[in-house]
Amino acid sequence: GISASTISRHMVKATAAKVKELFSRSLSALELCVLMIDGVEVGGHTVVIALGIDTKGVKHVLGLRQGATENAAVVKGLLEELLERGLSPDRPMLVVIDGAKALRKAVDAVFGENVAVQRCTVHKKRNVLDHLPQSDRSRVSRRMSQAYDLTDVDMARSELQNLAKELHAINPSAARSLEEGLEETLTVQRLRLPELLRVSLRSTNVIESSNSGVRDRGHNVKRWQGGDHVERWTAAGLLETEKSFRRIKGYRHLS
């Protein structure tokens, strides 16, 4: 005997409360050492999500910002909001991003050029392989994975540079894609992180569970009604997913 409009009003009220809860969280007490930034498509909109990892390996949803794309202004606005809520710009952190130039530009603008940035190796591999014919993808993927698995940063860099030279003869675009930001795909090696921690932090896979939670909870929505609808559902999905977060692998080495 409950009408659809009554259920809708309850849902709007409940999800609006989730938005308020997320955006009012103080970040000053969190001992964060890793900041991950990634985007997810929701209702035809791009929502940029910030996830923090503290020194005990616990993941925290920090905030979100909606935009047409992962452009620098959107990400910069999100990061500045995190600072206003207590995130210290002077705290040493590793920032993990998917590799988009707009994200890198925003990180520089807010945290400065000396911040340690790790570009996602999964995104890098995907971008390189997209330029190649199917016959070359398996071999190149294997070579890149082997390089990223190496502990020594100099050896890893040498392997990737040699691969880039070979790719110039096959597809110069693939070679340039590999060379672009190559050094920042090796930040976890340069920091000499232990293997388990290195694997956890060399990509944005850690934040994918958050993105999947948002998709799972919104896939039955048939008609998205404006930006606040996307924001409310995304915030609600993130906070529900956060309840089942586990510590990252290798968290004992974070200190």
Side-chain angles (χ1 to χ4, degrees):
I2 302 175
S3 68
S5 59
T6 299
I7 294 174
S8 179
R9 285 194 297 271
H10 278 289
M11 191 62 184
V12 169
K13 185 177 180 180
T15 52
K18 292 294 185 181
V19 172
K20 184 177 180 180
E21 177 187 344
L22 179 58
F23 287 177
S24 62
R25 283 180 167 182
S26 172
L27 307 179
S28 57
L30 294 180
E31 296 183 353
L32 298 179
C33 55
V34 179
L35 173 64
M36 289 196 172
I37 309 168
D38 198 11
V40 60
E41 291 292 325
V42 182
H45 296 251
T46 296
V47 181
V48 180
I49 298 170
L51 182 83
I53 301 172
D54 65 25
T55 53
K56 296 181 180 179
V58 178
K59 295 178 283 186
H60 304 268
V61 176
L62 303 181
L64 61 89
R65 184 61 67 97
Q66 187 178 329
T69 60
E70 293 181 7
N71 63 59
V74 171
V75 182
K76 185 171 181 288
L78 171 59
L79 295 178
E80 288 174 340
E81 178 194 321
L82 300 184
L83 296 185
E84 291 173 2
R85 287 165 47 207
L87 180 65
S88 173
D90 301 321
R91 185 179 183 86
M93 284 194 300
L94 173 67
V95 181
V96 186
I97 60 176
D98 66 10
K101 293 180 180 179
L103 268 66
R104 187 66 177 88
K105 182 178 179 181
V107 169
D108 281 352
V110 176
F111 294 108
E113 296 181 358
N114 292 325
V115 65
V117 174
Q118 170 68 35
R119 293 205 187 192
C120 176
T121 57
V122 174
H123 281 84
K124 171 59 71 177
K125 185 189 292 187
R126 188 182 304 154
N127 292 341
V128 172
L129 298 183
D130 282 346
H131 291 285
L132 296 171
Q134 199 67 40
S135 58
D136 292 317
R137 291 184 180 184
S138 178
R139 176 180 62 84
V140 172
S141 176
R142 185 171 59 254
R143 290 276 301 276
M144 292 182 70
S145 294
Q146 290 171 346
Y148 291 135
D149 284 339
L150 292 171
T151 301
D152 186 88
V153 64
D154 294 326
M155 291 179 62
R157 183 189 301 112
S158 177
E159 287 293 321
L160 292 172
Q161 288 173 340
N162 290 337
L163 178 59
K165 291 177 183 178
E166 295 176 23
L167 288 177
H168 272 290
I170 301 172
N171 188 313
S173 295
R176 286 191 292 269
S177 178
L178 177 56
E179 291 169 335
E180 193 275 322
L182 182 149
E183 197 65 31
E184 288 186 342
T185 64
L186 302 174
T187 301
V188 290
Q189 278 103 326
R190 179 169 57 82
L191 294 175
R192 299 180 181 178
L193 300 186
E195 183 180 2
L196 272 180
L197 197 55
R198 191 169 70 241
V199 172
S200 293
L201 301 181
R202 70 186 180 189
S203 74
T204 55
N205 283 352
V206 169
I207 204 173
E208 276 301 316
S209 62
S210 304
N211 296 349
S212 297
V214 171
R215 296 188 193 99
D216 291 345
R217 289 171 172 81
H219 78 280
N220 281 331
V221 179
K222 305 302 181 186
R223 186 161 56 98
W224 293 95
Q225 302 171 351
D228 66 318
H229 194 190
V230 171
E231 182 180 74
R232 287 188 287 103
W233 273 81
T234 304
L238 287 172
L239 293 179
E240 286 300 309
T241 304
E242 187 181 49
K243 296 176 182 178
S244 59
F245 278 170
R246 298 179 179 179
R247 297 188 192 192
I248 67 168
K249 293 180 179 180
Y251 70 89
R252 289 183 177 87
H253 300 289
L254 278 171
S255 59

